[in-house]
Amino acid sequence: MKNLFLNALLTALLFSIFSVDISHAQNKKPRGYGIQIGIMDTGRLNAITDIGNVQVGHVTLHEGDSVHTGVTAILPHTGNIYQEKVPAAVYVSNGFGKMTGTTQIKELGQLETPIILTNTLSVPTAADALITYTLEQPGNDDVQSVNAVVGETNDGGLNKIRGRHIDESHVLQSIYRADSGIVRQGAVGAGTGTEAFGFKGGIGTASRSVPSEHGGYKVGVLAQTNFGGVLQIDGVPVGEELGQHYMDGTYEQQPGGSCMIIVATDAPLTSRNLERLAKRATFGLSRTGGIASN
C-alpha cells in the first residue's frame, strides 16, 4: 500500500516538477521517467480504474488569475449505486477535514452514492448535487434518505475559495463524464488548485496486482494531494536536496494541509477489513515525507 500511494503522489507531483507541456505530462507515470516504485506489477492502466467497473470523472474550473478549482467524481460501478450498494469503510488519520457521509458508512459498512472530491467550501454544494443525482436515477422514485459522500482539501492558496465557484451543475457533470479508461492527472478536477510539499499538487492514481499465488487481486488508489512535509521520492530526500521544506527559512508554506486517498479493490473484503486496508494508506503518506498536522 505504501508503494502504491507513493506512485500516485509522485504522478501528481511529476506533473509540475518535470512538465513543460501540461497536456502531454498529465498521463505520464513515474515509470515513464524511469522511476519504478515497489516490486509488484501494475494494472493495465496503473490507475484506480483497473479495479472492476470503477469510473472517474473531472470538471476543472479556470477563470482569470484567481479561480482554480474543480470536482472529481469516483463511481464504484456503472449501475444504480443506491440500489446496488458496495462494501465500504472510512479511516480518518487527522480529523480536521469537512467530509460528509462518514457516520453511515461506519454504521452500515456501505457506500450508496458516488464519491465526490472538491474544495473545502464546496462540500455542501457537492452533497446537495449527489442527492439530486440519486433521486433522479431510475428506480429511486421512493428514496427519501441519501448518504452523500464528499471529501475535500482546501485549495485557498491558489484559488479564490471564498467565491464558492463550484455549483451543482459542475458536480453532476463530473459524474456524467466519468468513465473507466485512462484517468487524467495533475492539475485537473479536485486537484486543480492544490499544493504538496511546496510544489504544485493535484490528482494522482496508481494500481498494483497481487501475484496469482496470493489471490491475484488488484488494489487501486486515487489521491487528492494538498499537504506539506519534506518530500521523499522512493527514499530519495528530494525536499532536503532542493532545500525546499517547511523547516527551511525561505519556505513560506506551513506543514499542514489535507490529503484524500480513495482506495478500491476487487478482493472480497468486508467493511471491517476494508477499514484495515484504508489504514495502510497512511503508510504511503508517511513514506512520501508527509506528516499529520493541522
Side-chain angles (χ1 to χ4, degrees), residues 74-89:
I74 304 98
L75 282 64
H77 59 72
T78 58
N80 184 325
I81 302 169
Y82 187 90
Q83 300 294 339
E84 302 173 48
K85 299 174 175 59
V86 297

Side-chain angles (χ1 to χ4, degrees), residues 42 53-54 59 70 85 102 132 141 160 181 217 228-229 252 264-265 277:
T42 70
N53 293 315
V54 172
V59 166
K85 299 174 175 59
T102 60
T132 297
D141 297 340
K160 194 173 181 180
Y217 302 113
E252 296 181 358
T265 183
L277 179 64

Side-chain angles (χ1 to χ4, degrees), residues 182-250:
I182 294 172
V183 178
R184 293 186 65 214
Q185 298 172 87
V188 295
T192 301
T194 63
E195 304 172 74
F197 300 113
F199 298 99
K200 180 67 187 71
I203 295 292
T205 189
S207 68
R208 294 292 186 270
S209 298
V210 177
S212 57
E213 59 268 29
H214 296 293
Y217 302 113
K218 295 188 289 292
V219 177
V221 301
L222 182 144
Q224 179 192 18
T225 62
N226 192 55
F227 58 95
V230 186
L231 175 62
Q232 296 183 43
I233 297 179
D234 204 16
V236 177
V238 175
E240 291 183 52
E241 294 293 334
L242 296 179
Q244 182 160 333
H245 53 80
Y246 72 98
M247 295 296 288
D248 176 51
T250 62

Side-chain angles (χ1 to χ4, degrees), residues 38-141:
I39 59 175
M40 291 186 178
D41 292 332
T42 70
R44 184 176 65 88
L45 299 174
N46 195 10
I48 196 171
T49 48
D50 285 322
I51 314 304
N53 293 315
V54 172
Q55 298 179 301
V56 176
H58 301 297
V59 166
T60 302
L61 272 65
H62 288 295
E63 298 176 9
D65 296 329
S66 59
V67 178
H68 306 288
T69 192
V71 182
T72 295
I74 304 98
L75 282 64
H77 59 72
T78 58
N80 184 325
I81 302 169
Y82 187 90
Q83 300 294 339
E84 302 173 48
K85 299 174 175 59
V86 297
V90 174
Y91 177 72
V92 178
S93 177
N94 187 328
F96 195 68
K98 314 303 182 291
M99 187 174 181
T100 68
T102 60
T103 305
Q104 183 172 309
I105 291 178
K106 284 184 172 292
E107 179 69 18
L108 300 182
Q110 295 178 329
L111 177 69
E112 63 184 33
T113 69
I115 299 169
I116 298 296
L117 301 179
T118 187
N119 72 60
T120 304
L121 297 186
S122 296
V123 170
T125 299
D128 196 45
L130 275 177
I131 293 172
T132 297
Y133 169 78
T134 302
L135 295 181
E136 290 179 348
Q137 295 305 294
N140 290 353
D141 297 340

